[in-house]
Amino acid sequence: MAAFLASYEKGPGSLAAGQNARQTDLVQALPRMQVFDSPFTFGTIDDFLPDGLYQAVLRDWPESSAFNPVAKFVDGRPDAYFGNRKERIVENWAAGDELDASTWNEVRLALRHPDFVRALFTRFAGTIEENLSTLDLDVLHTSSFKLYANVDAGVSEALGAHVDALPKLLTIVVYLDLTGPVSEFSPDRWGTALYAMKPGEIQPLAFTANADHIVAHQIQFQPNRAFVMPNTSRALHGVAGGEDGVQRRTLMCGYWLTKQRPRE
């Protein structure tokens, strides 16, 4: 993990390119994190973003036309995806793609800040080290960062149960808001369901219906709550959704090891 953090701080954690943007310190949110060990290690942080930044994200949300379906189609069939999510890239650091506006610069730089990332990774060091031991670090040698704005809506499943790609070492999902005819069941249906499984029982990115699994822990949707997940081969999770007229907005970022060479 030390090698990843050293690489990260020379890459996405080097903030010179955005040094004129307003700086938000997310380290102060970490003492409020509740950490759980079942069915796998994860954490939640309420009131994650400072209120001013949280309100700015809602205010400056991209137009609906800017979002694209996550599902990719091959010969008319979804390829390795199960859900109705639409996304807008805020930043893909390795590719140099970013949404350039003051609010989004503040968000991405806060989530990329080396002090925040080091503190977060240190808190989950055991889980991250375990995952790193399974990866080919001769091939996966470059740190990266990706941040997406996401919209889930519709009567079909929001996000099928799956294990993330293991080179994504840690994920943060920030719940933003639910709109439409929400019900007493909405916080569960639009939160994140966690499932118990044996390591390697389900391959990464093999999506299945949430109804095929028994929920071991349900994270309820709450505005400005962060779901923090250090990745493992046991981290099976999904979002049922499926309430007509209800829309969920989230931010999702990932800290990655990739094959790509560092940006010059």
Side-chain angles (χ1 to χ4, degrees), residues 15 20 36-37 39 45 73 77 80 82 87 96 116 122 163 171-172 177 192 204 209 219 241:
L15 303 183
N20 294 325
F36 304 84
D37 294 318
I45 309 173
F73 287 84
R77 294 178 300 175
F82 190 86
E87 66 182 17
F116 172 70
T122 299
V163 174
T171 298
I172 301 174
D177 65 359
T192 306
I219 301 172

Side-chain angles (χ1 to χ4, degrees), residues 120-200:
L120 193 60
F121 271 58
T122 299
R123 180 62 184 83
F124 293 110
T127 302
I128 294 169
E129 291 278 14
E130 180 183 354
N131 185 26
L132 283 168
S133 71
T134 70
L135 303 177
D136 186 345
L137 301 182
D138 291 328
V139 174
L140 299 168
H141 44 62
T142 302
S143 59
S144 191
F145 170 85
K146 298 179 184 180
L147 172 62
Y148 296 89
N150 296 321
V151 173
D152 300 306
V155 296
S156 60
E157 195 144 1
L159 182 66
H162 66 287
V163 174
D164 286 351
L166 295 180
K168 181 162 67 167
L169 301 183
L170 186 142
T171 298
I172 301 174
V173 178
V174 184
Y175 302 157
L176 295 176
D177 65 359
L178 293 178
T179 57
V182 298
S183 71
E184 62 181 303
F185 306 108
S186 297
D188 283 340
R189 295 199 64 83
W190 298 96
T192 306
L194 311 182
Y195 306 105
M197 60 170 280
K198 298 177 181 178

Side-chain angles (χ1 to χ4, degrees), residues 42-77:
F42 68 96
T44 60
I45 309 173
D46 289 346
D47 301 318
F48 177 62
L49 298 176
D51 186 64
L53 182 55
Y54 170 72
Q55 296 297 336
V57 168
L58 299 181
R59 181 192 67 224
D60 296 335
W61 193 253
E63 295 291 333
S64 59
S65 60
F67 288 80
N68 295 306
V70 174
K72 304 296 188 294
F73 287 84
V74 178
D75 296 328
R77 294 178 300 175

Side-chain angles (χ1 to χ4, degrees), residues 23 25-26 41 64-65 68 90 101 110-111 130 193 207 211 238 245 256 258:
Q23 295 291 308
D25 180 12
L26 294 177
T41 300
S64 59
S65 60
N68 295 306
V90 177
L111 290 165
E130 180 183 354
F207 286 79
W256 287 78
T258 75

